Amino acid sequence: MSDYRKHLEYMSLALEQARKCKATPTAFCVGAIIVENSTNTVIATGYSRELPGNTHAEQNCLTKLLSSETPAAGADTTYSLYTTMEPCSERLSGNISCTDSTINYNNSDERKERRLGRVETVYVGMKEPGDFITNNVGQDKLLANGVGYIHISGLEEEILAVARKGNV
C-alpha cells in the first residue's frame, strides 16, 4: 500500500470521528486519531465536544492517550496525529489551543514519565477556513516546535461539509 493511500485511510478514520460530533452553529465538527508509527496502530481517537468542557478533537485524543493504559514506549517512539482540520492556534472560549496542547503534550513530564511517544507529525485534511479565527498560525507554531505538518489532500469537500454541519 502506498504511503498516500495509508494516510488517506487514516484521514478517513478521523473523518468518521468528526461525523460523531454534535452540530453547533458556533464551532466546527472535527475528528482526530493518533497512530503509533512503528506498529501503525490507532491508539487514541477524538472528536469535537466529545469530552466535557467545550473540547476539541486533538485535545480529546491527547487527553484520552494520557489517561489510557497505553503501554510504555521506547524513547524513540513517535506518533502521528491525523486531524480533519488544521489544529487551532487560538480558542475564542479562552481554552488552550490544539496547537499548544500538542506542543505541551510533547514537552510534558507526564508523557516522559509514562514513556509515551511524542507527536512527530500532524497530518491535516484541510486548512482551517476563516469562519471563526481569521489567522490560524498552527502550522507555523508546530513547525517551530519540531512537529511536522503535512496536508493530505483528497477529502477536503467532505471534511468541510462535515465540519460546517450546524453552522449558520
Side-chain angles (χ1 to χ4, degrees):
M1 175 185 322
S2 73
D3 281 349
Y4 173 74
R5 189 168 181 83
K6 175 184 77 168
H7 294 308
L8 200 57
E9 285 186 20
Y10 287 137
M11 193 59 66
S12 294
L13 292 174
L15 184 56
E16 285 178 26
Q17 292 297 309
R19 287 190 177 97
K20 297 177 182 180
C21 295
K22 181 180 177 188
T24 177
T26 57
F28 293 119
C29 294
V30 176
I33 65 168
I34 296 175
V35 175
E36 199 274 296
N37 290 331
S38 68
T39 63
N40 292 316
T41 303
V42 176
I43 57 172
T45 63
Y47 58 90
S48 301
R49 298 169 297 286
E50 176 184 10
L51 300 177
N54 189 26
T55 54
H56 283 192
E58 302 90 335
Q59 174 188 12
N60 290 332
C61 272
L62 294 166
T63 297
K64 289 160 69 175
L65 179 61
L66 285 170
S67 66
S68 75
E69 296 300 319
T70 301
D76 297 331
T77 300
T78 58
Y79 301 152
S80 292
L81 172 62
Y82 289 81
T83 179
T84 55
M85 188 174 290
E86 174 181 24
C88 66
S89 61
E90 179 182 350
R91 298 281 307 271
L92 295 177
S93 66
N95 291 340
I96 189 167
S97 73
C98 293
T99 298
D100 288 335
S101 290
T102 302
I103 294 164
N104 291 349
Y105 165 82
N106 275 351
N107 295 324
S108 74
D109 290 336
E110 182 177 2
R111 179 193 72 79
K112 294 170 187 170
E113 288 166 8
R114 291 199 43 216
R115 298 188 47 191
L116 295 173
R118 69 179 294 279
V119 175
E120 177 182 56
T121 306
V122 174
Y123 292 91
V124 176
M126 66 174 290
K127 296 282 283 178
E128 181 177 3
D131 298 22
F132 305 112
I133 300 292
T134 57
N135 186 29
N136 187 336
V137 296
Q139 177 179 3
D140 294 338
K141 201 168 187 181
L142 288 167
L143 292 171
N145 283 275
V147 179
Y149 179 105
I150 297 174
H151 173 241
I152 302 299
S153 63
L155 296 173
E156 292 87 351
E157 285 184 30
E158 193 173 355
I159 288 170
L160 188 58
V162 171
R164 285 185 169 154
K165 75 178 178 185
N167 291 171
V168 288

